[in-house]
Amino acid sequence: NILTVHHTIKNVDRHLRVRIAACCFNGFSNKLLVIDRRGNIFVFDFVSKHYWRLTIRTPQATVVHASPLHHSEYIVGDEQGHILVINVEKSIISRRNEVGHAAVDQISWGNRLQTFTVSNMLMRFGSDAALLNIKNLKVSHRLEFDQSRHTLKLAGYLPNSDQFLTCFTNDTLSIWSAHSQEALQITLPIKARDRKLRLLRNNKAIPEFVLRGDEEDDANLVDDLAFDCDEENFADGTLLSYSFTPNGNKLCFTTIDGYLLMLSTASFELDKLFRLRDFVLKQVEVLPQPKERILFGITSRGQAVMLDLENTDHKLIVQHSNGLSLNVSRDGKLLSVLSKCGEVNVWSTCRLYNTLQAKTHSIAQLRSVLKQPKLPGPVTCAVNQELRQLLKRDRLEAMLHENGYYPEKYRFVIWSSLLQLPCNGVQFQALLKLGEPPIVRQNARGLRIKSDAQRRAVIRVWSCLAHWCKVFGYAEFMPHLVFPFAKHLMKNGLVVFELMATLLLNHLQLCFEFYPLPPENYLAMCKNVLQCNDEHLSKFYQALEVEPKDYAWSLLMNAFAEVLEEQQWLALWDNIITEPQYFIIFVIVAYSLLQRELILRLPDKDAVLRFFHEQNPIDVAKLVSRARKIMKKCPSQVHPQRFLPPFSPIPTGVYPKFLKYPSNWIAEKEQQTLELQKQHQDIDARIRHLELEEMQMMDRLQNGLKQEEHTRRVKEMEKLYQETIQREEERISCHRKMLLTYQLEVRQRKSEVMSQLQEAEQRRKVLEMEKDIDLLMHRIERERRRHTQEMQFAEDEIRNQELELLAQQYYADTAGAPLAQKYYDNIKKMCQERDELQQSLREMTLQNLDKPRRTPRSSACAEPHLVQIERSIQEIQREFSDILNSD
C-alpha cells in the first residue's frame, strides 16, 4: 500500500471523517483525482509527491473519469443526473449539462472523439441511458425500452468501437450501433453457461477459485454470499457486473450465483468459464500485463482480491474488508480501492504481483516438504492445566443440576475436561496418514449426508476408528453414531475421534461382544431395568414381540440423534458425559417410560418400531430427571454397575487397543474377503482371457466378413454407378430435347414480344399525338376565352363611356334650371298620388258613416285612427306646399 487518502476535519470537540465519493487516475497514470461527499476536489501528484485542492466544488459526485480529449480535464457525473467537465489546471468547470434526473452510474465513450456531430459518449443513470457528444455534452438520443418487460441494468461502449452494449434484468445482452441505434446482435450468456455446464459430465473440469479452506463451515457461507438489497441495486437477473480486457478482445462477466464468464467480443460466445465457490465478485478489472491473466475484484464481503486466471490456486486478498469499488490505472501499475469507511488505498500492482508469486512459491515449497494430510488447527481440547483445574467435576455437576445444560460457548471444552481427552496429535496424525481403509471406502458409498464437508468429517473420523480397531470399519452403524458429534465439531477431527474412542472404551464397551449380532448382554441390562420399573410395559413389548434391540439398540446406534432435536440432543449428552458411563442405559429406559402412554396405544409391532425412529415431543429435563431416579432406585442385582468397570480415560501419548470384540470373526472375515478377492481376480483374469480370445476370433471373423462385405459392396457400388450413369445419360438426352423445345418457345415468345413492343410503341405514339392535340385544343380554347373576355371588357368600357357622356350631357342641360323644373315630373306624380289618397279616404269615410250604430264602441276605437291618418295627410300637404313655395 503506497498511499492512503482520507479527509478528516475537526468538528468542535471531535474529528469528523468526510467520505470519499469517487476517484480515478489520469491518462498518464501519474496523478490521482479524489472527490469527497462535500464536493471538495483533491489532486495527488505521484511524481512531485504533493497534492492540492481545487477552488471549485462538485457536490454529490458519483463517478469520475479522465477525459480522453485533454490530459487536464475530467468528466464527472453526480446524483442529480448532471454531467460536468472540470479542468484541474485552470480550476474551472468548462462544460456542464443536465442529462437525466437520476444518479449517473456509468460513463463510457467510443473511438471517434474529435467530432461535434457524432454520438461518441454513453451515460447510464439508473434504468435509463443516453447518447451524447463528448465535446459539447449535448444529448443526441435517449435509449428508451419497455420497462414493463425488462429493465436496463448495464450499458457501455465497446473498446475502440462505435458499438455499445446493453444488459437487461432478464440477462439479455444486446449489441447496438451508435449510428443507426439498431440492435446488431443479441446473445444470452447465462443460457450459454448453463448449456456448457450440462455438456460437462464432471463439474470438476471447470476451474474453481476458493478463498477459504475446506475446513470452513458451509453454514457460514450462506450468510457471506447473501446480498444486502439496500446496497445492491439489482432487482432481477444473474449478471452482476462486466469489464473488458485492456485490448478489448474479451468481455468478462460476473454472476450473482458465483461464476466468472469470459466472452469473445468478436462473436460474443462463451470462451472460458470459472467457478467462484465461496465468494461473489461485485466488480472486476483485468490488468494488461502479464498477458491479461491477473484479475482484481471486489467481493460481496467487501474484500479486494487478486486472482490468477491461468492458475486458480494463485490468489491474494489485497484488502480484507470494506471494499466498495476499485480502479486500475491505464498502464496497469496502480490500483485504487475505495472503502466504505471513506478512505482510498492506492496499491502498486507490481508489488502485489511479486507478493502473489512469492506466496505461491512458498506454498509450493511447503507442500513439497510436508506431503501429508492437513491437520486441524488449534483444537479446543488442548486445554491448559489452569483451565483443567478450574473445570472441576463438582462445580460442573452443580452447574448442570442448576441449568440442565452447559453453556454453548464452553460446552466442548467441558466435555474434553470431563472425559479427560489427552489430545494425542502425533498419534492422530499417524492414523490420518493411513488414509481410508477399503472397507470404509466401500461402506461410505451409501452414506447419505447433504453437506460434503460434514460427510468428509464423518469419513475421516470413521477411517481413524477403523485403523484403531478393525471392528469399527465393519460396523455399519458407526457413521450414524459419529455423525451428530462430527456435525458440531466439523473443524476438529481430533476431538471427535478421542471423544468417540472414550465412549467406545467406557460407555459402549459391551456393544461389540457378539458383532455382527446385537449386543445381547448390553440389551439384557436395559431389559432388566425396564422390567423392574414397569412390568406392564415390558409385558406389552413381549406380547408384540418387540425385542430390546428394537427399543434400545435403535436409540443407541445413532446416540439418540434420530429422536431428539439438536439442542435437546446437546443437553442430553451434557448429562450423559457428566454422569457415570452406565447412565446411558437408564436414559434408554427412561425414554420408554416417559412415552409409556403413547407406546401402549400403538396398534402393532411396526408402529412401535417406527416410533423409535421418529422425533416425538419430549422434555429432556424430565428425561434426565427420570433416568436419575431410576438409577438411584435400581436394585443392586440388576444394576449395570456390576457389569461395567469404572471409567478409564485415554492415556497421554497412546491410544489403548479395544479388545472386546470377536477378533476371530474379523480375522475370518478378512480371510474370506482376501479369498473372495483372489477368486474375483482369478475370475476376472479368466474373463479377460476369454474376452481376448473372443476378440481375436471376432477380429478374424470380422476380417473375413469385412472382405466379403467389401467385395459385395464393391459390386453393388459398380452396379449403382452404372445405373447412375445410365440415368444421367437419359436425363441429359431428355434435357437436350427440353432445351430444343425451350429454344423454339423462346423464339415464338420473342416474336410475340417484338410484335407487342411494336404495337405498344404505336400506341404510345398515338397517345402522344392525342396528348399534343388535346394540349393544342386547350390552348386554342384558352385563347378564344381570353379574346371573348377582352371583347366583353371592351364593350363594357364603351357602354360605360356612353353612359358617362349622357350623364355629362344631362348635367350640362340641367345645370342652371330651378329645382321645381328639375323635379317637376316627380312632384306631379306625387300630387296625383295625393289626390288618389284623398279620394280613397273620402270613400272610407262615407263607408263608415253608412254603417249602423250597433257598434259604437268599435267606431269609437276607429275614430282616433282616422284622425291620425288625416293629420299625417295634412302634414304631407304642408310639406308639398313648402316645397312649391320654396321653388
Side-chain angles (χ1 to χ4, degrees):
N1 183 9
I2 63 175
L3 178 65
T4 297
V5 178
H6 64 86
H7 188 192
T8 305
I9 60 177
K10 189 173 183 180
N11 187 9
V12 190
D13 58 345
R14 63 188 181 92
H15 291 280
L16 180 64
R17 176 68 60 87
V18 181
R19 291 183 57 191
I20 304 298
C23 65
C24 75
F25 296 99
N26 66 342
F28 298 122
S29 304
N30 58 3
K31 291 181 182 178
L32 176 69
L33 184 79
V34 174
I35 306 176
D36 63 13
R37 296 293 295 174
R38 296 186 177 183
N40 298 311
I41 305 174
F42 299 89
V43 181
F44 294 84
D45 193 333
F46 296 105
V47 178
S48 60
K49 296 183 180 180
H50 74 280
Y51 72 96
W52 64 94
R53 183 171 66 178
L54 304 184
T55 57
I56 58 175
R57 298 178 65 185
T58 57
Q60 298 179 338
T62 57
V63 62
V64 57
H65 290 284
S67 174
L69 299 177
H70 197 274
H71 68 275
S72 62
E73 289 185 346
Y74 293 83
I75 301 174
V76 182
D78 62 9
E79 295 180 356
Q80 305 299 326
H82 296 143
I83 183 73
L84 306 92
V85 177
I86 60 176
N87 192 311
V88 296
E89 290 183 354
K90 301 179 182 179
S91 189
I92 60 172
I93 298 177
S94 59
R95 295 185 296 279
R96 185 189 186 104
N97 188 21
E98 182 178 357
V99 181
H101 302 287
V104 178
D105 297 321
Q106 288 179 280
I107 299 177
S108 59
W109 44 78
N111 57 354
R112 294 203 292 172
L113 302 174
Q114 304 298 331
T115 176
F116 284 91
T117 59
V118 177
S119 301
N120 47 27
M121 188 166 71
L122 176 65
M123 290 182 54
R124 183 181 68 84
F125 33 90
S127 59
D128 299 325
L131 289 170
L132 60 159
N133 185 270
I134 195 171
K135 284 197 170 185
N136 52 27
L137 301 183
K138 291 184 179 179
V139 178
S140 61
H141 185 74
R142 293 190 180 273
L143 304 180
E144 297 180 354
F145 307 98
D146 185 8
Q147 296 192 11
S148 62
R149 298 178 57 190
H150 46 257
T151 307
L152 182 66
K153 184 164 63 173
L154 302 171
Y157 261 99
L158 274 67
N160 305 320
S161 172
D162 286 335
Q163 299 175 0
F164 62 91
L165 64 88
T166 58
C167 180
F168 302 92
T169 50
N170 61 351
D171 295 328
T172 301
L173 184 64
S174 304
I175 310 301
W176 303 78
S177 171
H179 303 294
S180 61
Q181 282 83 43
E182 294 181 355
L184 304 178
Q185 188 175 354
I186 297 177
T187 182
L188 299 171
I190 298 300
K191 287 191 176 180
R193 180 203 68 179
D194 296 341
R195 191 184 309 114
K196 186 170 184 178
L197 291 176
R198 287 194 300 269
L199 293 176
L200 292 174
R201 297 181 180 178
N202 186 7
N203 288 334
K204 293 183 179 179
I206 303 175
E208 281 192 352
F209 286 103
V210 182
L211 288 184
R212 299 186 173 191
D214 295 336
E215 70 274 4
E216 293 289 346
D217 191 357
D218 291 345
N220 295 331
L221 298 181
V222 178
D223 299 333
D224 292 335
L225 294 179
F227 278 89
D228 187 1
C229 296
D230 297 333
E231 182 179 345
E232 299 303 325
N233 191 18
F234 296 102
D236 296 310
T238 305
L239 295 177
L240 195 58
S241 66
Y242 77 95
S243 175
F244 288 96
T245 55
N247 60 4
N249 60 352
K250 291 288 187 299
L251 173 59
C252 178
F253 269 110
T254 63
T255 64
I256 203 168
D257 54 354
Y259 281 94
L260 185 66
L261 315 179
M262 299 293 289
L263 279 69
S264 172
T265 54
S267 61
F268 289 94
E269 303 224 342
L270 187 61
D271 190 11
K272 293 181 181 180
L273 179 63
F274 300 90
R275 176 80 168 93
L276 311 178
R277 200 175 76 177
D278 56 354
F279 66 100
V280 174
L281 290 177
K282 296 192 299 183
Q283 185 187 358
V284 289
E285 292 287 346
V286 183
L287 280 186
Q289 295 295 335
K291 297 181 181 179
E292 300 179 348
R293 58 181 285 185
I294 301 300
L295 180 141
F296 286 98
I298 299 292
T299 68
S300 59
R301 297 188 291 269
Q303 295 176 323
V305 297
M306 181 180 183
L307 306 177
D308 189 346
L309 299 180
E310 296 294 332
N311 192 338
T312 57
D313 292 333
H314 298 175
K315 66 264 185 183
L316 185 68
I317 298 179
V318 180
Q319 184 171 318
H320 286 81
S321 62
N322 294 327
L324 190 62
S325 64
L326 56 84
N327 185 18
V328 178
S329 62
R330 188 171 182 179
D331 58 2
K333 294 182 179 180
L334 296 176
L335 168 71
S336 67
V337 179
L338 178 61
S339 302
K340 295 179 182 178
C341 59
E343 295 181 350
V344 175
N345 293 312
V346 181
W347 306 79
S348 170
T349 57
C350 299
R351 296 183 182 179
L352 290 175
Y353 182 74
N354 294 335
T355 304
L356 177 64
Q357 294 296 318
K359 176 185 175 183
T360 54
H361 181 66
S362 300
I363 291 175
Q365 285 185 342
L366 188 61
R367 287 180 178 174
S368 63
V369 170
L370 293 177
K371 291 184 179 179
Q372 57 191 10
K374 186 177 180 182
L375 282 177
V379 292
T380 56
C381 72
V383 186
N384 55 33
Q385 193 63 27
E386 295 181 0
L387 189 58
R388 289 270 180 111
Q389 291 177 0
L390 291 175
L391 298 176
K392 293 183 179 180
R393 179 173 289 272
D394 53 352
R395 295 182 180 179
L396 297 175
E397 289 179 355
M399 182 192 306
L400 185 63
H401 284 294
E402 181 179 356
N403 299 324
Y405 55 89
Y406 291 126
E408 182 73 23
K409 185 176 181 180
Y410 304 103
R411 170 174 281 121
F412 299 110
V413 177
I414 294 172
W415 285 14
S416 301
S417 177
L418 290 173
L419 297 178
Q420 302 177 25
L421 302 184
C423 282
N424 296 329
V426 178
Q427 289 73 19
F428 180 70
Q429 180 181 354
L431 293 175
L432 278 178
K433 287 182 180 180
L434 298 177
E436 294 182 13
I439 186 65
V440 173
R441 188 182 302 109
Q442 180 181 354
N443 293 336
R445 294 173 184 172
L447 194 59
R448 296 181 180 179
I449 299 177
K450 293 182 180 180
S451 173
D452 292 337
Q454 294 176 359
R455 187 175 184 273
R456 289 193 297 270
V458 171
I459 294 175
R460 190 184 302 117
V461 175
W462 188 14
S463 301
C464 293
L465 291 173
H467 289 302
W468 177 50
C469 183
K470 294 181 180 179
V471 69
F472 300 138
Y474 289 90
E476 296 179 356
F477 68 89
M478 187 55 63
H480 304 287
L481 183 64
V482 174
F483 172 72
F485 298 95
K487 179 181 178 182
H488 294 88
L489 289 166
M490 190 167 52
K491 301 178 184 179
N492 207 329
L494 174 58
V495 175
V496 180
F497 171 75
E498 293 189 349
L499 177 62
M500 294 306 304
T502 305
L503 294 178
L504 292 170
L505 286 171
N506 295 277
H507 299 70
L508 307 175
Q509 56 181 296
L510 300 181
C511 293
F512 297 89
E513 288 182 322
F514 306 102
Y515 188 83
L517 299 176
E520 296 296 337
N521 293 337
Y522 201 89
L523 299 178
M525 289 188 287
C526 298
K527 182 178 180 181
N528 294 336
V529 173
L530 177 63
Q531 191 170 7
C532 290
N533 287 274
D534 195 332
E535 189 174 354
H536 179 64
L537 181 60
S538 180
K539 289 181 180 180
F540 175 77
Y541 283 154
Q542 292 178 3
L544 293 179
E545 297 181 355
V546 177
E547 300 294 334
K549 66 178 181 179
D550 300 324
Y551 64 83
W553 187 234
S554 60
L555 299 176
L556 203 58
M557 283 192 301
N558 51 64
F560 298 91
E562 195 173 10
V563 296
L564 294 178
E565 185 264 334
E566 184 174 355
Q567 295 300 323
Q568 293 177 340
W569 182 86
L570 290 170
L572 175 62
W573 275 94
D574 286 342
N575 289 271
I576 292 175
I577 291 176
T578 307
E579 297 293 338
Q581 68 271 24
Y582 49 79
F583 180 71
I584 193 171
I585 296 175
F586 297 100
V587 173
I588 295 172
V589 175
Y591 185 83
S592 295
L593 295 179
L594 281 183
Q595 304 286 353
R596 180 179 184 277
E597 298 300 328
L598 183 58
I599 295 173
L600 292 175
R601 286 174 172 78
L602 296 176
D604 52 14
K605 181 179 179 180
D606 293 337
V608 175
L609 297 181
R610 286 196 303 272
F611 175 81
F612 286 98
H613 291 279
E614 298 173 350
Q615 285 190 6
N616 299 281
I618 190 170
D619 189 349
V620 175
K622 291 183 179 179
L623 176 64
V624 174
S625 177
R626 189 66 176 271
R628 287 197 180 99
K629 290 179 181 179
I630 297 172
M631 184 174 62
K632 291 179 180 179
K633 296 180 181 180
C634 183
S636 58
Q637 59 271 19
V638 295
H639 202 289
Q641 186 177 5
R642 296 177 52 195
F643 309 100
L644 293 175
F647 178 79
S648 176
I650 299 176
T652 303
V654 65
Y655 290 134
K657 282 293 183 180
F658 183 83
L659 301 175
K660 295 183 179 180
Y661 71 96
S663 56
N664 295 331
W665 179 84
I666 297 296
E668 292 177 1
K669 182 72 174 178
E670 291 180 348
Q671 186 65 29
Q672 291 177 1
T673 303
L674 292 175
E675 292 178 358
L676 289 174
Q677 289 179 356
K678 290 181 180 179
Q679 292 178 5
H680 282 300
Q681 292 175 359
D682 294 339
I683 292 172
D684 292 339
R686 292 178 182 178
I687 290 174
R688 285 195 297 272
H689 182 68
L690 292 174
E691 288 177 351
L692 182 60
E693 291 182 353
E694 184 180 2
M695 289 174 61
Q696 293 176 354
M697 293 178 62
M698 291 298 296
D699 289 340
R700 295 174 185 173
L701 181 60
Q702 287 177 1
N703 290 333
L705 293 175
K706 284 180 182 179
Q707 189 66 28
E708 182 181 355
E709 182 70 17
H710 178 71
T711 305
R712 184 179 64 81
R713 286 184 174 257
V714 168
K715 291 182 180 179
E716 291 179 355
M717 188 171 59
E718 291 176 353
K719 182 179 179 182
L720 179 63
Y721 283 160
Q722 291 176 0
E723 293 176 355
T724 303
I725 291 171
Q726 185 178 0
R727 286 197 301 270
E728 287 296 323
E729 290 176 351
E730 293 176 356
R731 188 173 63 83
I732 289 171
S733 62
C734 182
H735 284 180
R736 287 175 180 173
K737 293 179 181 179
M738 291 175 63
L739 180 61
L740 294 174
T741 306
Y742 181 71
Q743 288 177 351
L744 180 61
E745 292 180 356
V746 167
R747 292 193 190 96
Q748 294 177 355
R749 290 179 183 176
K750 186 175 181 180
S751 61
E752 292 176 358
V753 169
M754 291 298 294
S755 61
Q756 290 178 0
L757 287 175
Q758 291 176 358
E759 293 177 358
E761 184 67 21
Q762 292 176 359
R763 286 196 299 271
R764 185 181 64 77
K765 291 180 179 180
V766 170
L767 291 174
E768 288 180 354
M769 292 176 65
E770 291 178 353
K771 184 177 179 182
D772 294 339
I773 292 171
D774 291 339
L775 291 174
L776 182 60
M777 292 296 292
H778 286 306
R779 192 179 297 110
I780 294 171
E781 182 66 22
R782 284 197 302 273
E783 291 293 330
R784 186 185 65 77
R785 289 179 181 175
R786 187 174 60 80
H787 287 302
T788 303
Q789 289 178 357
E790 290 178 353
M791 292 289 292
Q792 290 179 355
F793 289 156
E795 291 178 357
D796 293 339
E797 186 69 23
I798 293 170
R799 192 177 296 110
N800 291 333
Q801 291 178 0
E802 291 178 353
L803 290 174
E804 288 179 359
L805 292 173
L806 290 173
Q808 291 176 1
Q809 184 179 1
Y810 175 75
Y811 290 137
D813 294 339
T814 61
L819 292 175
Q821 186 178 355
K822 289 181 182 180
Y823 301 104
Y824 176 78
D825 295 334
N826 294 332
I827 294 172
K828 187 177 182 180
K829 186 177 180 180
M830 291 179 67
C831 290
Q832 290 178 0
E833 290 179 357
R834 183 192 64 186
D835 295 338
E836 290 176 1
L837 182 59
Q838 289 178 354
Q839 185 66 30
S840 61
L841 288 173
R842 291 190 190 97
E843 291 177 359
M844 290 175 64
T845 305
L846 291 175
Q847 290 177 2
N848 291 331
L849 292 174
D850 291 340
K851 286 182 181 180
R853 301 289 182 178
R854 292 177 297 180
T855 59
R857 186 176 180 178
S858 63
S859 62
C861 293
E863 184 176 357
H865 182 64
L866 294 175
V867 173
Q868 291 178 359
I869 294 174
E870 288 180 356
R871 289 177 180 175
S872 63
I873 292 172
Q874 289 176 2
E875 289 178 359
I876 293 170
Q877 288 178 357
R878 193 180 300 112
E879 290 177 1
F880 277 125
S881 61
D882 293 337
I883 293 171
L884 291 175
N885 293 329
S886 64
D887 291 339

